[in-house]
């Protein structure tokens, strides 16, 4: 699959070049392939993302389009609650605390039809400018992974 940006995905979905399920599966495969090296995701929400993708494909096929993010996979920092999912804020103190409601930003993304694929790593409690101080280990960018290999 070729899309590289949110705009590429949105355009491809509008043109029916691929389905939401295909985009989400591709995204989840990339996360699985790269997360061991990048440590970007604390939580991957694969089952929920696939179910949401299926619903988005049905909606789009039936003329329901919620806007430019409808069917686009996104991630949120693990600082924001997503109902039914643990929010750690990159701290062991919060392990096991399952959110009972969505944070406002997550609720807005869901209403817009975005497909949340997971929750990403961050500096513990967002109390710093880097991802180096996370209880789950530092997140790495592509440009910094060569030094890890």
């Amino acid at each position: 699959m070729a899309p590289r940006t949110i705009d590429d995905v949105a355009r491809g979905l509008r043109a029916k070049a691929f389905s939401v399920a295909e985009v989400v599966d591709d995204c989840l495969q990339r996360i699985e392939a790269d997360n061991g090296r990048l440590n970007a995701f604390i939580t991957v929400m694969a089952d929920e993302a696939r179910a949401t993708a299926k619903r988005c494909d049905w909606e789009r096929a039936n003329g329901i389009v919620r806007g430019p993010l409808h069917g686009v996979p996104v991630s949120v920092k693990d600082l924001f609650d997503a109902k039914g999912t643990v929010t750690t804020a990159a701290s062991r103190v919060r392990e096991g605390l399952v959110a009972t409601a969505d944070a406002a930003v997550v609720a807005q993304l869901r209403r817009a039809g975005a497909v949340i694929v997971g929750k990403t790593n961050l500096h513990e409690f967002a109390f710093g400018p880097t991802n180096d101080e996370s209880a789950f280990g530092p997140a790495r960018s592509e440009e910094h992974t060569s030094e890890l290999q």
Side-chain angles (χ1 to χ4, degrees), residues 107-126:
Q108 288 177 320
L109 285 166
R110 290 189 201 275
R111 277 193 299 276
V115 180
I116 300 172
V117 295
K119 301 178 82 181
T120 58
N121 205 348
L122 65 150
H123 200 100
E124 190 170 13
F125 293 110

Side-chain angles (χ1 to χ4, degrees), residues 63-141:
I64 302 166
V65 179
R66 300 187 206 182
L69 290 179
H70 193 189
V72 175
V74 299
S75 60
V76 296
K77 287 290 183 189
D78 193 31
L79 190 63
F80 299 106
D81 284 343
K83 185 177 180 178
T85 307
V86 172
T87 300
T88 67
S91 175
R92 299 278 183 211
V93 173
R94 294 187 49 87
E95 277 188 305
L97 296 176
V98 178
T100 58
D102 285 335
V105 67
V106 173
Q108 288 177 320
L109 285 166
R110 290 189 201 275
R111 277 193 299 276
V115 180
I116 300 172
V117 295
K119 301 178 82 181
T120 58
N121 205 348
L122 65 150
H123 200 100
E124 190 170 13
F125 293 110
F127 286 159
T130 69
N131 287 319
D132 292 340
E133 298 295 327
S134 167
F136 301 93
R140 299 285 183 215
S141 65

